[in-house]
Amino acid sequence: MRSTPSETAKPPGSSDGTPAVRIAGITKYFGAHCALNDVSLDVAAGEVVVIIGPSGSGKSTLCRTINRLEAINSGQILIEGRPLPEEGKPLAALRAEVGMVFQSFNLFAHKTILENVALGPVRVRGLPRAEAERQALELLAAVGVKDQAAKMPAQLSGGQQQRAAIARALAMNPKIMLFDEPTSALDPEMVSGVLDVMRDLADRGMTMVVVTHEMGFARSAADRVVFMDGGRIIEEGVPEAFFAAPQSARARDFLSKVLQH
């Protein structure tokens, strides 16, 4: 994890102003359905961007394009100024720098939690197993599940599995973290623990793109909220302004429904 930045401000970007992520006019089709329609978005280094919107708005698809889990039809995505590789070793190397946490935990069921977290650094980065396991235990402690290290995923609660999944992503020492609705599969009482881990990452200056329905997290942890609908970015702004006075009628309608519960 990165060292904690100044409490007064997060890093605005790299020293030369290059965004950590640049999404430039991308379009994505699933058959005849246009899931992303000319979407552009910059994410600065150290920035936490939270993407919200109704189901089917394209927010998860957008998140998944950033490490090419979904290929785009047109436009361009750059990571720290470099075009997103299409395949092969360059793409694998980029995915090592862009961690992702999914709605489903995607832990290897036949491996212990410790083995799950240590596997990537050993296989991808060539770290000695003993060192990888030492670092894995530190990360599991940081997310609050070190005492579960010897257990199999099925022995953990959903919230514990998701925190282990975050530790696994962090084990690759990523520069950017993507979260695709990381709490939507959890029971309500498990959500807060996972969000606390994510807030801690945000406070430490991790560059994060988060797709979520958790409006409280968007209010408290985001540097910028991006509202999507119909495969487009409809509106974006700092949380205080967005939640207090959304500019678009569509965002106002969305918030009136999700904030009344």
Side-chain angles (χ1 to χ4, degrees):
M1 295 185 193
R2 299 184 192 176
S3 59
T4 305
S6 165
E7 293 182 359
T8 58
K10 292 186 179 177
S14 62
S15 57
D16 63 357
T18 302
V21 180
R22 168 156 285 172
I23 298 166
I26 68 170
T27 299
K28 168 67 180 177
Y29 281 90
F30 292 106
H33 173 65
C34 184
L36 297 173
N37 187 354
D38 193 25
V39 173
S40 296
L41 179 70
D42 282 358
V43 180
E47 187 179 23
V48 178
V49 173
V50 174
I51 305 174
I52 64 172
S55 297
S57 61
K59 54 191 188 295
S60 287
T61 301
L62 177 61
C63 186
R64 291 168 65 87
T65 64
I66 296 174
N67 65 353
R68 213 175 184 276
L69 287 175
E70 297 288 356
I72 58 176
N73 295 100
S74 62
Q76 189 177 38
I77 299 174
L78 298 97
I79 306 296
E80 296 185 328
R82 295 170 294 162
L84 191 64
E86 292 192 3
E87 57 188 15
K89 289 184 178 179
L91 180 60
L94 175 126
R95 285 179 174 160
E97 296 182 353
V98 182
M100 187 154 190
V101 178
F102 301 87
Q103 176 179 342
S104 55
F105 320 123
N106 288 356
L107 296 171
F108 294 112
H110 62 290
K111 294 185 180 293
T112 67
I113 296 301
L114 179 63
E115 289 170 338
N116 264 278
V117 178
L119 183 63
V122 171
R123 289 194 175 178
V124 178
R125 297 205 181 277
L127 207 64
R129 182 169 299 277
E131 177 63 14
E133 291 188 351
R134 183 190 68 77
Q135 293 185 11
L137 286 171
E138 289 181 358
L139 287 167
L140 289 170
V143 300
V145 290
K146 183 180 180 180
D147 57 340
Q148 309 296 322
K151 294 182 180 179
M152 307 301 283
Q155 296 176 279
L156 274 62
S157 70
Q160 289 172 326
Q161 289 188 62
Q162 193 61 295
R163 282 186 274 168
I166 293 172
R168 182 179 62 178
L170 292 173
M172 297 300 290
N173 194 27
K175 297 177 180 178
I176 301 161
M177 284 285 287
L178 309 176
F179 293 87
D180 185 11
E181 302 199 21
T183 61
S184 60
L186 302 179
D187 292 335
E189 66 268 22
M190 299 176 184
V191 169
S192 63
V194 173
L195 293 180
D196 285 345
V197 171
M198 293 169 62
R199 284 191 182 93
D200 183 61
L201 282 177
D203 290 342
R204 291 172 180 266
M206 175 65 76
T207 306
M208 295 165 59
V209 177
V210 183
V211 173
T212 186
H213 292 288
E214 300 291 338
M215 297 299 109
F217 177 84
R219 283 180 183 271
S220 64
D223 295 305
R224 187 159 37 116
V225 176
V226 172
F227 175 72
M228 293 189 67
D229 190 35
R232 290 179 176 271
I233 293 175
I234 304 299
E235 185 175 343
E236 59 183 286
V238 297
E240 296 84 354
F242 175 79
F243 285 104
Q247 299 300 300
S248 63
R250 185 65 187 93
R252 288 195 294 273
D253 178 63
F254 174 79
L255 290 178
S256 72
K257 293 172 180 175
V258 300
L259 296 180
Q260 67 184 357
H261 298 292

